[in-house]
Amino acid sequence: MVDLAVLRFPPRFLFGTATSSYQVEGGLTDNDWYDWEGLPGRIRDGSRAGSACDWWGGRAEEDLRLSAELGHHAHRCSLEWSRLEPEPGRFDDAAFARYREIFTAARDAGLELFVTVNHFTLPRWAAARGSWLHRGLADRFAGLCGRVASELGDLVTAFATLNEPSVVAFIGYAGHLWPPGMKDPACAPVALSNMLRAHAGGYRAIKSVAPEAQVGIVLNAPYFDPVEAGIDRALAGMQDWAFTEVVLRALKGGYLWPPLSFVPARVPGLAGALDWIGLNYYGRFGVRFDPSAPEMFFGRHVQEPTVKTEWTDWGQPWPDGLTAQLHRFGKLGVPVYVTENGIYDNTDTQRPDFLRRHVRAVHRAWTEGVDVRGYFHWSLLDNFEWAEGYATHFGLVEVDFETGARKPRHSAEVYRQICADRAV
Ligand code: FCB
């Protein structure tokens, strides 16, 4: 089916790309992911993040200039907590200065900046205290947020406190593929609750320093789709509740609902702690009852085709799911941004079409009344893909990790046109 109508976005709609600190900066040795990589068998291709895309060493500026040359209007990146606060309560001026330098270069190139304060990685000192199982980390995080707002706030269009708290809770606490690798389902609600406390504290801390700042949070919301009516529907509903809905409820009303808390429990400062919301969307999971899959709450993911490796499944590309989740996020009553959407595709054969179809799905949500203001493709360039290492490529720009050479893929040209016309 070919749909040739040109879909136009409003003039201030932002098209950009996203990255995160650990995945691109390089030279990081004081956090939980560095230690995790050092354990045998934790990274699928056996690699270590190492110098990554060498942003810290000096290449951030040229990559962000390239981003602007490719027509992007904005970039979403994150800050590395272990650099900014190497010991609890001690902030590092040189690290703040380097971020200022990078952000200034991005702004000079014409990019607006969306900055996530924490995208997965925790300082080693925080991991030693129990990572997100430690309730006190929420206060530490609020302290970091306040400092970040006063040092960098003038360069930032919008802040997000945290990236994908549910992903962290499920993969690192219920599961064992990411640090801290708890493999204990009871740990996930504890970690997720503490991250929501951290969001509330972080939001309040930023606003107390910079009342005009736009502060949100970024959630990953896959489309959980029952294969059949009946039990599959109940299981898909449960997965969605535990992963997405419970977080949306908490953000809306300020309460933790089961399984986060046995009885509804209020989180001080959480209600109303949201100026915008970010949606990370990769695809659809077909949920089917399987008594042999307790680790999946007995609802196995069986969609075909799907985008996956032996370790990670990003689901079936499903643009309608993006429209649906935008509607849902829009009900929070704040502007919505697609803060990540992309595909693991080392040969760039599927990405161009994936990109166009998902941008069209965003447009549809907009025409249907959702206050969606921007779209950030994951990612600007190939980078360190967590437990997958360097083997799975999401970049519009290809990186040769031997030579450091950058080469825009065909999808970068497709996206350039979308950005230039604000149309697809
Ligand atoms: C998201 C993460 C991002 C990247 C993409 C592929 O869940 O936020 O860092 O790894 O997946």
Side-chain angles (χ1 to χ4, degrees):
M1 200 176 52
V2 185
D3 186 350
L4 292 171
V6 174
L7 308 178
R8 293 205 180 281
F9 285 81
R12 295 183 60 192
F13 193 91
L14 292 179
F15 282 104
T17 58
T19 57
S20 89
S21 58
Y22 197 66
Q23 296 178 273
V24 297
E25 285 181 5
L28 283 159
T29 53
D30 293 330
N31 70 23
D32 56 347
W33 267 91
Y34 177 83
D35 292 340
W36 185 253
E37 282 165 20
L39 302 171
R42 293 297 201 273
I43 306 299
R44 194 168 65 85
D45 70 352
S47 58
R48 302 205 58 158
S51 53
C53 304
D54 198 23
W55 275 29
W56 203 253
R59 297 201 72 161
E61 285 87 340
E62 78 189 73
D63 284 336
L64 290 163
R65 269 196 301 274
L66 174 61
S67 166
E69 282 161 26
L70 291 171
H72 312 159
H73 316 129
H75 186 70
R76 170 177 175 245
C77 59
S78 80
L79 302 170
E80 181 57 34
W81 193 347
S82 65
R83 288 191 199 284
L84 296 175
E85 192 176 1
E87 291 164 38
R90 181 174 72 79
F91 293 100
D92 187 86
D93 291 339
F96 278 103
R98 174 74 184 121
Y99 279 117
R100 262 207 98 70
E101 208 170 71
I102 295 172
F103 289 5
T104 305
R107 294 278 302 253
D108 289 348
L111 297 171
E112 292 201 37
L113 287 171
F114 280 54
V115 175
T116 309
V117 180
N118 180 254
H119 193 122
F120 299 159
T121 50
L122 297 179
R124 182 173 295 119
W125 58 259
R129 294 171 180 198
S131 302
W132 289 113
L133 296 175
H134 174 54
R135 196 161 167 159
L137 195 58
D139 295 332
R140 281 274 155 226
F141 180 71
L144 172 72
C145 286
R147 183 71 179 230
V148 161
S150 62
E151 299 268 351
L152 302 168
D154 58 314
L155 299 170
V156 172
T157 299
F159 282 110
T161 53
L162 296 168
N163 182 66
E164 301 186 345
S166 295
V167 170
V168 173
F170 279 87
I171 303 188
Y173 293 78
H176 64 286
L177 274 180
W178 291 4
M182 301 305 296
K183 206 176 184 195
D184 178 355
C187 287
V190 179
L192 187 49
S193 301
N194 284 334
M195 285 185 265
L196 286 164
R197 292 186 181 99
H199 167 72
Y203 177 93
R204 303 285 161 203
I206 295 173
K207 298 298 264 198
S208 71
V209 175
E212 305 300 311
Q214 294 301 298
V215 187
I217 187 170
V218 168
L219 310 183
N220 180 309
Y223 190 70
F224 294 106
D225 201 7
V227 174
E228 288 177 34
I231 190 157
D232 293 352
R233 189 176 297 276
L235 293 170
M238 270 173 50
Q239 292 188 359
D240 183 77
W241 170 272
F243 199 83
T244 307
E245 186 62 24
V246 82
V247 178
L248 293 175
R249 294 269 170 126
L251 293 169
K252 194 160 178 102
Y255 279 82
L256 302 178
W257 292 83
L260 300 186
S261 164
F262 195 58
V263 291
R266 202 180 82 85
V267 175
L270 185 56
L274 201 66
D275 303 325
W276 65 277
I277 180 112
L279 166 64
N280 290 357
Y281 178 81
Y282 287 85
R284 165 188 177 271
F285 292 120
V287 180
R288 179 184 282 149
F289 174 60
D290 181 346
S292 72
E295 76 289 355
M296 301 290 292
F297 304 108
F298 304 103
R300 194 178 287 289
H301 294 164
V302 296
Q303 67 289 338
E304 283 297 339
T306 195
V307 178
K308 69 171 183 181
T309 67
E310 296 95 88
W311 286 18
T312 313
D313 191 346
W314 287 275
Q316 177 179 12
W318 192 258
D320 288 351
L322 177 54
T323 309
Q325 299 298 42
L326 282 169
H327 272 282
R328 194 173 171 197
F329 277 46
K331 295 207 174 80
L332 287 169
V334 293
V336 188
Y337 289 84
V338 178
T339 34
E340 288 180 28
N341 169 243
I343 184 169
Y344 149 47
D345 174 15
N346 290 7
T347 54
D348 206 46
T349 41
Q350 298 179 63
R351 191 174 290 105
D353 192 48
F354 177 99
L355 183 50
R356 283 192 212 95
R357 289 170 63 216
H358 283 81
V359 171
R360 295 179 85 88
V362 176
H363 188 274
R364 197 177 114 208
W366 176 68
T367 57
E368 290 169 354
V370 178
D371 185 11
V372 53
R373 309 245 181 124
Y375 170 93
F376 292 80
H377 192 78
W378 184 275
S379 176
L380 170 60
L381 72 178
D382 294 340
N383 56 50
F384 181 75
E385 179 48 36
W386 308 113
E388 294 291 328
Y390 285 109
T392 55
H393 301 160
F394 280 82
L396 294 174
V397 174
E398 180 183 351
V399 176
D400 178 332
F401 288 98
E402 298 288 315
T403 64
R406 271 66 166 156
K407 188 166 149 227
R409 296 190 163 103
H410 172 57
S411 49
E413 285 309 316
V414 169
Y415 196 45
R416 185 208 297 270
Q417 201 60 54
I418 293 173
C419 297
D421 301 346
R422 278 194 170 84
V424 62

